[in-house]
Amino acid sequence: MTKTLADLSKAMREIDFAMLSTHTDGGAIAARPMSNNAQVDYDGDSYYFTTDDTRMVRDIGRDPRVGLSFLGKSGMLGMRPFFVAVEGEAELVRDRAAFDDHWSPDLDRWFEQGTATPGLVMIHVHAARVHYWDGEDEGEVSL
């Protein structure tokens, strides 16, 4: 059965972390876990917070092409793994008003000063392609 973006969004609401992959200055792929702020309705755009002194921000500044990987559970009693791979472009956002639109109190754990954290940057990933695997079912959603 082919899934829609709405189907994927419903399944992704329960996934708390994503792996965000960037291209380093040497051409390697670097990945790191980022909070997915569970309970977000996925519409092809993802938002993550970090600070401007990270390798991730430098990587995106050089090459905005990124990948996101998600692993969740599906099926009866959540017994089957559910995978989502996103290819897209990242934009670095430094607008505090935009931070407020996407902030979750759970982020205070990493950023004690909230949206006033010095050097705070929001990474906005615009998906171009979303591929999923749900047991033996797989497919792709183009955006």
Side-chain angles (χ1 to χ4, degrees), residues 15-139:
I15 301 174
D16 193 22
F17 286 92
M19 291 296 289
L20 172 63
S21 299
T22 58
H23 298 271
T24 68
D25 54 354
I29 297 174
R32 73 282 293 156
M34 301 295 289
S35 174
N36 191 42
N37 300 328
Q39 304 302 316
V40 173
D41 289 323
Y42 185 71
D43 63 0
D45 289 315
S46 301
Y47 301 88
Y48 304 98
F49 288 90
T50 189
T51 54
D52 59 10
D53 60 350
T54 62
R55 175 182 206 154
M56 178 175 27
V57 168
R58 289 189 304 276
D59 289 350
I60 291 169
R62 251 187 334 278
D63 185 344
R65 296 173 302 152
V66 299
L68 295 170
S69 302
F70 300 87
L71 170 61
K73 305 270 187 205
S74 68
M76 287 188 61
L77 304 175
M79 301 301 286
R80 207 170 55 220
F82 175 72
F83 300 92
V84 177
V86 174
E87 295 173 22
E89 288 204 6
E91 172 188 1
L92 299 172
V93 179
R94 293 180 170 88
D95 175 19
R96 192 167 288 171
F99 296 170
D100 291 335
D101 291 341
H102 299 282
W103 193 261
S104 163
D106 292 339
L107 293 168
D108 292 336
R109 174 181 176 191
W110 289 284
F111 308 101
E112 293 179 3
Q113 295 178 41
T115 59
T117 298
L120 189 66
V121 175
M122 183 172 68
I123 300 170
H124 179 183
V125 177
H126 308 276
R129 178 176 168 238
V130 180
H131 200 102
Y132 64 87
W133 297 265
D134 186 9
E136 295 181 12
D137 183 27
E138 72 170 289

